[in-house]
Amino acid sequence: DVKVTQSSRYLVKRTGEKVFLECVQDMDHENMFWYRQDPGLGLRLIYFSYDVKMKEKGDIPEGYSVSREKKERFSLILESASTNQTSMYLCASSLAKTGANVLTFGAGSRLTVL
Amino acid sequence: QKEVEQDPGPLSVPEGAIVSLNCTYSNSAFQYFMWYRQYSRKGPELLMYTYSSGNKEDGRFTAQVDKSSKYISLFIRDSQPSDSATYLCAMSVGDDKIIFGKGTRLHILP
């Protein structure tokens, strides 16, 4: 019954490494999102996409990029990881034009940058 | 004033008690109100979803929206240890960006 899958649950990377976080949804949703979640700061939107090959910046896009080549897949890329990017990363998707953006989340990817 | 305010807790209550979780907000244009539950080391899952004002009930859970006071609540009846989690309120204007509260940590004591 898995609907939004984040392939890596736990990652440990070195400062300066390039990091790919993959997310796949099997619900045929148009919209996909990447958030990070930190204690005391809550959920913060990094990037989102309403269609294949399109992307929009969220509230904290600096240091991140995304790729959406197929409808079901949305990747988050950290070009050069830094210690302040240590966080829980959550992918989510939603069906467009339902009147509300009700999100289905993945289980999360906990990234530690040393 | 922050757009959505939520007490972070932790809130500890004995098993069987009624739990009340709350959020206040400042944007009167919000129309859709949601509650997500997040277990430790997991992603949030949608618990309740309401449109505009009023109450919605689903089993032991009741969501309440008071738009005049810009205040939403989630009530949990007959609370169980399995209800221990972080509860996030969320709201949006139509299908625009969702604004989340920071979450309230809830502990149900056996």
Side-chain angles (χ1 to χ4, degrees):
Chain A
D1 190 38
V2 175
K3 295 175 178 168
V4 178
T5 302
Q6 295 183 233
S7 53
S8 303
R9 291 297 314 277
Y10 301 95
L11 304 96
V12 179
K13 298 292 182 180
R14 298 276 180 197
T15 301
E17 280 192 81
K18 191 169 186 175
V19 181
F20 291 88
L21 299 179
E22 304 286 343
C23 175
V24 176
Q25 51 95 5
D26 63 1
M27 297 170 288
D28 202 33
H29 283 176
E30 284 82 5
N31 307 330
M32 295 190 76
F33 306 81
W34 276 105
Y35 290 86
R36 64 177 283 177
Q37 187 176 35
D38 301 286
L41 297 177
L43 284 164
R44 293 181 289 169
L45 182 63
I46 305 171
Y47 267 97
F48 59 99
S49 169
Y50 287 155
D51 202 352
V52 176
K53 293 192 185 295
M54 81 76 70
K55 59 186 178 185
E56 295 282 348
K57 293 180 180 179
D59 299 318
I60 52 163
E62 296 78 20
Y64 302 95
S65 62
V66 291
S67 171
R68 192 163 182 204
E69 295 295 319
K70 294 184 177 181
K71 186 177 184 179
E72 67 271 17
R73 188 178 297 269
F74 193 37
S75 302
L76 181 70
I77 303 151
L78 288 66
E79 293 289 342
S80 178
S82 62
T83 54
N84 63 11
Q85 292 179 309
T86 292
S87 186
M88 168 73 109
Y89 289 88
L90 289 159
C91 175
S93 70
S94 69
L95 191 61
K97 309 299 182 194
T98 59
N101 231 338
V102 176
L103 301 177
T104 301
F105 284 90
S109 298
R110 182 163 294 279
L111 172 67
T112 301
V113 183
L114 302 175
Chain B
Q1 184 182 9
K2 292 179 181 171
E3 212 162 4
V4 177
E5 302 251 25
Q6 185 175 13
D7 189 325
L11 178 63
S12 297
V13 299
E15 183 176 355
I18 295 175
V19 175
S20 172
L21 303 167
N22 311 293
C23 287
T24 58
Y25 62 93
S26 58
N27 185 353
S28 59
F30 285 139
Q31 300 169 290
Y32 296 93
F33 303 91
M34 291 147 276
W35 286 95
Y36 286 83
R37 178 176 61 195
Q38 185 175 20
Y39 291 116
S40 181
R41 289 184 284 277
K42 297 286 179 68
E45 57 179 337
L46 182 69
L47 196 58
M48 299 284 282
Y49 156 64
T50 54
Y51 171 72
S52 194
S53 282
N55 291 4
K56 185 173 183 178
E57 191 173 316
D58 184 2
R60 297 184 295 110
F61 299 90
T62 300
Q64 196 171 79
V65 176
D66 182 350
K67 291 193 78 179
S68 61
S69 302
K70 298 194 186 75
Y71 189 87
I72 69 169
S73 300
L74 178 70
F75 298 97
I76 307 174
R77 290 184 300 281
D78 187 24
S79 56
Q80 305 293 311
S82 59
D83 295 326
S84 297
T86 297
Y87 290 80
L88 299 143
C89 64
M91 45 201 81
S92 69
V93 180
D95 57 3
D96 203 353
K97 188 176 81 169
I98 292 181
I99 307 299
F100 285 90
K102 292 183 180 178
T104 299
R105 284 186 293 141
L106 174 66
H107 299 297
I108 306 298
L109 307 170

